[in-house]
Amino acid sequence: MERTPFISAANVSERLAQPPALAISTVIFALRPSESSGRPTLWLPLVRRIREPFEGMWALPGGPLTQSQSLQDAAATNLADTTGLTPNYLEQLYAFGGLHRSPSQRVVSIVYWAMVQPTEAALARESDNVRWFRADGLAELAFDHNQIVDYALWRLRNKMAYGSIAYHLLGETFTLAQVREVYEAVLNRTLDPANFRRQLKQTAHIEATDEYLQGGAHRPPRLYRYTGDPAAENSGAPPSSL
Amino acid sequence: MERTPFISAANVSERLAQPPALAISTVIFALRPSESSGRPTLWLPLVRRIREPFEGMWALPGGPLTQSQSLQDAAATNLADTTGLTPNYLEQLYAFGGLHRSPSQRVVSIVYWAMVQPTEAALARESDNVRWFRADGLAELAFDHNQIVDYALWRLRNKMAYGSIAYHLLGETFTLAQVREVYEAVLNRTLDPANFRRQLKQTAHIEATDEYLQGGAHRPPRLYRYTGDPAAENSGAPPSSL
DNA sequence: CTCAGTTGTAGTCATATTGACCTTAACTAA
DNA sequence: TTAGTTAAGGTCAATATGACTACAACTGAG
């Protein structure tokens, strides 16, 4: 909104005061094999703070909102700057605006969350100031970013049920076992392969290809392709022009 | 976030520029009997704009974010100023930040949605500049507020399935038929009374009281009370301190 | 005082969905 | 050739859902 319905003295004086700073941050999820088990698990890239407050600590990639960028554009820019990747999925998570999130000035952060397929080049981008971490069991982060990541994980797990999100962590074609592994990585529990297959065929929009994934010491699984319409993808978010 | 990971010339110059204006608006839902059918339907209060842009048109109540208020506090203040009511439910809807939402300057609006029980006094507050409208079939509003209301309705309908929200539109005790009427008003379709009752008993957290609602020309219905734990109420939102 | 009208409440039944489990198919490595 | 492994399809009981019927409990008209 652009004005108060009832003009009061407080409103007028506040309008002249400095407004809170406005920043955009992005929680970027990708699937990587765990070092220990080798199974796919959720990872996210963080950047190291190079100035106070919280100098030296890890934080979500982000920056101030510029006049010329829409919110989603700003989030996509964060993502490209940090990982060099373009997102398969990008959606607004929440606007955090507590009074004491940053020790110095009042900052309102509009946070997006994204899902990407990491390329070799993107993973090799790691440096002293950019590093990938497992999404669960993170160390202490700068600001309230631990709580933001936890909330993003919660939202991700809830959205899984609706479908379609899992495919944004996978490539063009995939086996049903790979889809199941995505679900298992996000939901953090094992799923019955047979029942999972049946459920996918009922609800999800996938089609079988004629190809099979060769190379394993077992029966080769069929490859599938996602056929969900892109319109329904961002179901849950208003048009990005707003 | 509070800084960009990679400092570029563009970032430095942008940081010195004027940041976008930050406003809070609130979509306030309440249940009122329809004039035609008499059945409960969804209404919301709007305020008339008294200056350009969109002078004279109806808009969501709201105003600029002050330094001393959290986002949720600002939304609650909107609500109290407009209706004189305190909300039964208040949750962040979305942050709208498109480049051309307001013709003059760039405005980012963080929008909340609320559910209230209107009192007689609150409804009598109507004036030339504050009026209640049916939520569906609204006339053209200022800014992008039609799209915002549509999105709020979409979110409300989706949240209904999870339960607990309906009770925030009702009083302390209620009949099962009243709960059903809330669902019917929000979902805009009729529901089988017997099946609805069964489903509520399975999932919802309600308990029967010993009282019955007298006065109708029919068998008096039993009154129930909501027993859902307040912790799970705002399930779907991060702690309000953030 | 009786009965028609209305709404609350409980139950039935066919169908769909879910979770646990079993069986067979198809491949590799030893 | 065989043991090991994963793919893929099926069965079966338990549970949930939607359409519908039957009965209960009240008011108000006559």
Side-chain angles (χ1 to χ4, degrees), chain B:
Chain B
M1 257 293 296
E2 288 65 18
R3 58 155 208 86
T4 46
F6 305 114
I7 303 290
S8 70
N11 279 331
V12 171
S13 67
E14 285 287 359
R15 195 167 316 165
L16 302 175
Q18 196 59 238
L22 191 46
I24 303 285
S25 293
T26 313
V27 182
I28 304 163
F29 288 119
L31 226 52
R32 293 185 62 178
S34 146
E35 316 97 326
S36 48
S37 71
R39 303 183 69 78
T41 46
L42 272 181
W43 294 66
L44 77 170
L46 298 173
V47 299
R48 195 194 294 273
R49 285 192 57 80
I50 57 173
R51 68 172 66 183
E52 292 296 337
F54 299 103
E55 180 170 350
M57 294 187 71
W58 295 98
L60 294 171
L65 178 66
T66 66
Q67 279 284 354
S68 60
Q69 284 181 311
S70 74
L71 304 181
Q72 182 149 345
D73 285 351
T77 303
N78 280 346
L79 203 149
D81 285 350
T82 310
T83 65
L85 296 166
T86 52
N88 288 349
Y89 187 82
L90 182 60
E91 186 193 335
Q92 193 181 109
L93 178 68
Y94 199 76
F96 296 87
L99 294 177
H100 306 109
R101 302 180 55 240
S102 179
S104 46
Q105 59 171 341
R106 170 91 186 273
V107 178
V108 175
S109 290
I110 299 177
V111 180
Y112 276 72
W113 64 284
M115 300 178 68
V116 300
Q117 280 176 265
T119 60
E120 286 304 319
L123 296 179
R125 249 177 126 96
E126 283 202 323
S127 69
D128 274 359
N129 291 327
V130 179
R131 191 170 301 168
W132 288 82
F133 295 88
R134 289 195 53 158
D136 50 344
L138 283 175
E140 192 184 347
L141 305 181
F143 305 103
D144 51 2
H145 290 189
N146 284 96
Q147 289 153 286
I148 293 177
V149 171
D150 286 346
Y151 181 59
L153 274 172
W154 182 89
R155 272 273 285 270
L156 176 60
R157 296 195 167 111
N158 272 53
K159 271 237 163 181
M160 287 300 280
Y162 288 75
S164 89
I165 298 103
Y167 306 106
H168 298 297
L169 288 166
L170 295 169
E172 167 77 10
T173 59
F174 43 80
T175 69
L176 295 186
Q178 286 173 331
V179 182
R180 179 168 47 82
E181 282 177 330
V182 175
Y183 274 76
E184 289 178 338
V186 172
L187 300 178
N188 212 27
R189 64 192 180 93
T190 61
L191 300 168
D192 183 281
N195 291 339
F196 184 80
R197 156 188 313 275
R198 181 180 54 188
Q199 211 161 330
L200 272 195
K201 297 223 168 158
Q202 282 172 353
T203 63
H205 305 145
I206 55 175
E207 66 180 9
T209 70
D210 291 338
E211 293 166 272
Y212 294 80
L213 183 65
Q214 308 291 343
H218 50 75
R219 172 172 173 178
R222 184 185 283 269
L223 288 170
Y224 290 80
R225 175 180 292 111
Y226 180 59
T227 59
D229 57 80
E233 296 288 298
N234 255 40
S235 166
S240 66
S241 62
L242 295 182

Side-chain angles (χ1 to χ4, degrees), chain A residues 85-117:
Chain A
L85 296 166
T86 52
N88 288 349
Y89 187 81
L90 182 60
E91 186 193 334
Q92 194 182 109
L93 178 67
Y94 198 76
F96 296 87
L99 293 176
H100 306 108
R101 300 180 56 241
S102 179
S104 47
Q105 57 170 341
R106 169 91 186 273
V107 178
V108 174
S109 291
I110 299 177
V111 181
Y112 276 72
W113 63 285
M115 301 178 64
V116 300
Q117 279 177 266

Side-chain angles (χ1 to χ4, degrees), chain A residues 20-137:
Chain A
L22 191 46
I24 304 286
S25 294
T26 312
V27 182
I28 304 163
F29 288 119
L31 225 51
R32 294 184 62 177
S34 147
E35 316 97 325
S36 49
S37 71
R39 302 184 68 77
T41 47
L42 271 180
W43 294 65
L44 77 170
L46 298 174
V47 299
R48 195 194 293 275
R49 284 192 58 79
I50 57 173
R51 66 173 65 184
E52 292 295 341
F54 299 104
E55 181 172 349
M57 295 188 70
W58 295 98
L60 294 171
L65 178 66
T66 66
Q67 279 285 354
S68 60
Q69 283 180 312
S70 74
L71 304 181
Q72 182 148 343
D73 285 351
T77 303
N78 280 347
L79 203 149
D81 286 348
T82 311
T83 65
L85 296 166
T86 52
N88 288 349
Y89 187 81
L90 182 60
E91 186 193 334
Q92 194 182 109
L93 178 67
Y94 198 76
F96 296 87
L99 293 176
H100 306 108
R101 300 180 56 241
S102 179
S104 47
Q105 57 170 341
R106 169 91 186 273
V107 178
V108 174
S109 291
I110 299 177
V111 181
Y112 276 72
W113 63 285
M115 301 178 64
V116 300
Q117 279 177 266
T119 61
E120 287 303 319
L123 296 179
R125 248 178 126 95
E126 282 202 323
S127 69
D128 274 359
N129 291 328
V130 179
R131 190 169 301 167
W132 288 82
F133 295 87
R134 289 196 52 159
D136 50 344

